[in-house]
């Protein structure tokens, strides 16, 4: 394969790679004497076929880079699955721990067009699944846009408040004090944020009850999915975040009344009926790559000036949410919310996927494993035989890189597109690659 095609194939389909100029040199070092040996390998961007080192953009948004978003989705799937089934450093015993899948919604800010099961919408129509009217207010003038934006801005703080109450509620049901709970049990979770069509954030979470050291230890005898679900309901109802007072109106934020909690069973227990590990992981991973632009038709990048909205063909509901966030962002008493910087996200500035430390592996660990796999494949392609590690020697890497641009040249774009139809040009992203 020509050099330029080999370099482009290493991007795995990324269409907006980062271009870096510089060099990287590897030296062998004797850890006993500290003596640095001659250069083993040297990589210079000027010697590469593209003239630069090309690095994946790593954007998680499907609308920005489908290839990198797919990698992010698969990594999230493996991360969530490891916390449900074990593997990748997580013991398989977690399958016997109490586990639930919970969805937390936002409150109502006014009636919107929806599909309420077998009934017609409040507007009297039955909307198709792809009807652009879904999620938009029945009466935009009476819809509480201010509260909708501020809810998104406080959603991350509300989740944190919920986790505090959850531990308190579990301790109360176990007959323990809050100080005693960490010595008996630990709450582990992984969650993602999703935008509803009306533009409000809600959360999907896998919540697991472990022993004091996490998934490696058995939960106490009193731990059960029923106790965990009951504690989640109580904690969700108690979680409240006081908001700002704007023009004499006091804002307070809490979760909506719709709270869905389902017990997760292993694949050997469900009989094809109950919620499986794989179904939960796939559901969460799907939403990890989708932002507000996917659900509401809003922007997938920041605004510099609100006047830019005049040149964009956005749905009226999404545009009004953005303008509301921009206007609120001008208030000094709301400066800490950075609403103008996050107006394109309708006020939400939290992480789209988060987890507790002991839930499972990390995205960083998965990326490191994939990079090691790629380096091994590159060494094999060069004809280098992997050598056993010398305990008295290590490798010193000296590198200097500077940003040289973003994207591909027209010729590189054409070649990259041709690789998409060529089998076996992309690096595997499944279990073997990790």
């Amino acid at each position: 394969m020509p050099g330029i095609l080999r370099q482009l194939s290493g991007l795995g389909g990324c269409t907006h790679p980062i271009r870096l100029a510089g060099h990287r040199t590897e030296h062998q070092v004797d850890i006993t004497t500290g003596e640095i040996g001659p250069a083993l390998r040297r990589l210079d961007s000027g010697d590469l076929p593209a003239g630069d080192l090309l690095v994946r953009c790593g954007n998680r948004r499907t609308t920005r880079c489908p290839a990198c978003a797919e990698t992010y989705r698969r990594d999230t799937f493996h991360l969530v699955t490891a916390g449900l089934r074990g593997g990748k450093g997580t013991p398989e015993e977690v399958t016997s721990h109490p586990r639930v899948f919970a969805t937390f919604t936002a409150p109502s800010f006014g009636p919107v067009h929806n599909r309420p099961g077998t009934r017609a919408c409040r507007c009297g129509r039955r909307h198709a699944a792809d009807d652009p009217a879904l999620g938009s207010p029945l009466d935009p003038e009476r819809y509480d846009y201010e509260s909708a934006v501020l809810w998104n801005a406080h959603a991350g703080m509300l989740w944190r408040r919920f986790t505090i109450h959850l531990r308190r509620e579990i301790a109360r049901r176990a007959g323990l004090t809050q100080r005693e709970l960490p010595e008996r049990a630990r709450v582990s979770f992984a969650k993602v944020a999703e935008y509803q069509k009306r533009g409000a954030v809600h959360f999907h979470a896998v919540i697991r009850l472990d022993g004091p050291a996490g998934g490696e230890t058995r939960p106490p005898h009193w731990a059960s999915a029923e106790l965990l679900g009951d504690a989640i309901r109580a904690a969700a109802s108690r979680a409240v975040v006081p908001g700002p007072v704007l023009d004499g109106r006091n804002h307070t934020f809490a979760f909506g009344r719709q709270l869905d909690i389902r017990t997760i069973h292993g694949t050997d227990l469900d009989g094809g009926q109950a919620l499986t590990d794989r179904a939960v992981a796939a559901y969460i991973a799907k939403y990890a790559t989708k932002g507000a632009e996917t659900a509401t038709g809003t922007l997938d990048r920041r605004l510099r000036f609100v006047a830019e909205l005049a040149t964009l063909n956005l749905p009226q509901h999404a545009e009004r949410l953005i303008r509301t966030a921009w206007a609120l962002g001008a208030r000094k008493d709301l400066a800490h919310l950075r609403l103008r910087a996050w107006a394109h996200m309708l006020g939400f500035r939290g992480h789209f996927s988060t987890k507790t430390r002991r839930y499972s592996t990390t995205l960083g660990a998965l990326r490191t494993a994939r990079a090691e796999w790629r380096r091994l494949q590159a060494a094999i392609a060069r004809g280098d035989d992997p050598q056993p590690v010398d305990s008295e020697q290590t490798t010193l890497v000296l590198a200097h890189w500077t940003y040289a641009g973003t994207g591909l040249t027209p010729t590189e774009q054409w070649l990259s597109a041709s690789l998409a139809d060529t089998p076996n040009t992309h690096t595997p992203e499944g279990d073997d690659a990790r």
Side-chain angles (χ1 to χ4, degrees):
M1 180 185 294
I4 184 62
L5 292 179
R6 187 162 53 248
Q7 187 176 1
L8 292 174
S9 66
L11 296 174
C14 175
T15 55
H16 296 87
I18 308 300
R19 307 183 76 98
L20 300 176
H23 57 83
R24 179 179 187 271
T25 307
E26 296 181 10
H27 297 266
Q28 201 167 54
V29 180
D30 190 311
I31 61 176
T32 303
T33 64
E35 182 180 356
I36 301 176
L40 298 175
R41 274 183 293 273
R42 179 179 173 85
L43 173 66
D44 195 299
S45 61
D47 298 332
L48 295 174
D52 295 306
L53 178 67
L54 303 180
V55 181
R56 290 185 179 194
C57 68
N59 200 304
R60 67 162 191 86
R61 296 176 184 272
T62 304
T63 56
R64 297 288 293 275
C65 184
C68 288
E70 177 62 12
T71 299
Y72 187 91
R73 184 193 67 79
R74 293 182 180 183
D75 282 352
T76 302
F77 173 82
H78 284 283
L79 183 150
V80 176
T81 301
L84 293 170
R85 295 182 177 180
K88 305 187 187 305
T90 304
E92 295 182 0
E93 286 74 16
V94 295
T95 57
S96 63
H97 295 193
R99 304 164 300 160
V100 301
F101 177 58
T103 298
F104 304 80
T105 61
S108 174
F109 307 111
V112 298
H113 295 277
N114 61 4
R115 304 179 69 208
T118 58
R119 296 178 290 111
C121 175
R122 291 186 182 183
C123 68
R125 296 170 47 202
R126 293 184 181 274
H127 298 285
D130 58 350
D131 191 336
L134 288 174
S136 62
L138 275 77
D139 185 356
E141 298 307 316
R142 299 182 63 183
Y143 193 80
D144 193 351
Y145 281 95
E146 182 177 275
S147 292
V149 169
L150 291 175
W151 153 262
N152 286 341
H154 290 81
M157 289 180 275
L158 182 60
W159 173 263
R160 181 177 179 276
R161 189 67 57 88
F162 159 75
T163 60
I164 294 173
H165 281 289
L166 177 59
R167 294 178 176 91
R168 292 174 180 174
E169 294 295 334
I170 291 174
R172 181 180 303 170
R173 284 157 177 74
L176 303 171
T177 65
Q178 296 180 42
R179 181 171 296 181
E180 292 173 331
L181 181 63
E183 301 174 358
R184 308 289 181 84
R186 176 186 291 267
V187 177
S188 301
F189 67 80
K191 76 166 177 67
V192 295
E194 179 204 356
Y195 281 87
Q196 296 173 302
K197 287 186 177 296
R198 58 182 172 137
V201 167
H202 66 176
F203 298 116
H204 301 289
V206 174
I207 304 177
R208 194 181 69 210
L209 196 52
D210 301 326
E216 300 176 356
T217 51
R218 181 176 299 179
H221 64 88
W222 48 260
S224 67
E226 291 74 18
L227 180 146
L228 180 57
D230 187 46
I232 291 172
R233 291 185 186 91
S237 65
R238 292 178 181 274
V240 176
V241 172
V245 178
L246 302 181
D247 302 324
R249 183 185 177 189
N250 188 8
H251 290 275
T252 302
F253 304 102
F255 287 117
R257 290 179 296 177
Q258 293 181 331
L259 173 63
D260 183 43
I261 302 174
R262 300 177 61 187
T263 301
I264 302 172
H265 298 288
T267 54
D268 57 331
L269 300 175
D270 61 21
Q273 300 297 322
L275 196 63
T276 66
D277 302 338
R278 185 177 183 85
V280 171
Y283 190 79
I284 288 183
K286 175 178 67 173
Y287 289 110
T289 60
K290 296 182 178 180
E293 70 282 355
T294 305
T296 67
T298 185
L299 305 175
D300 61 0
R301 63 194 70 209
R302 291 185 176 182
L303 281 173
R304 293 181 299 172
F305 308 101
V306 72
E308 296 177 43
L309 294 175
T311 63
L312 303 172
N313 186 24
L314 298 180
Q316 291 184 0
H317 180 54
E319 181 175 342
R320 189 157 178 179
L321 285 168
I322 294 174
R323 289 186 180 277
T324 301
W326 192 271
L328 291 173
R331 299 182 62 119
K332 292 183 178 180
D333 53 342
L334 298 179
H336 62 287
L337 298 178
R338 302 183 62 214
L339 289 172
R340 287 196 168 183
W342 297 100
H344 67 298
M345 298 305 296
L346 313 183
F348 180 69
R349 66 189 191 282
H351 294 287
F352 269 84
S353 63
T354 58
K355 74 174 192 67
T356 54
R357 182 175 300 177
R358 299 295 181 90
Y359 175 80
S360 69
T361 185
T362 65
L363 292 175
L366 294 175
R367 296 186 188 109
T368 298
R370 184 165 54 248
E372 291 294 336
W373 186 89
R374 286 172 176 160
R375 277 194 285 269
L376 177 61
Q377 298 304 305
I380 295 175
R382 292 194 303 266
D384 298 342
D385 293 328
Q387 299 294 326
V389 177
D390 189 338
S391 61
E392 296 184 354
Q393 292 184 328
T394 186
T395 301
L396 172 66
V397 178
L398 301 176
H400 176 73
W401 300 104
T402 58
Y403 176 74
T406 304
L408 300 172
T409 66
T411 301
E412 292 167 348
Q413 292 177 8
W414 182 84
L415 291 172
S416 181
S418 67
L419 287 172
D421 299 326
T422 305
N424 299 325
T425 57
H426 293 287
T427 303
E429 300 290 352
D431 286 333
D432 294 339
R434 290 172 168 76

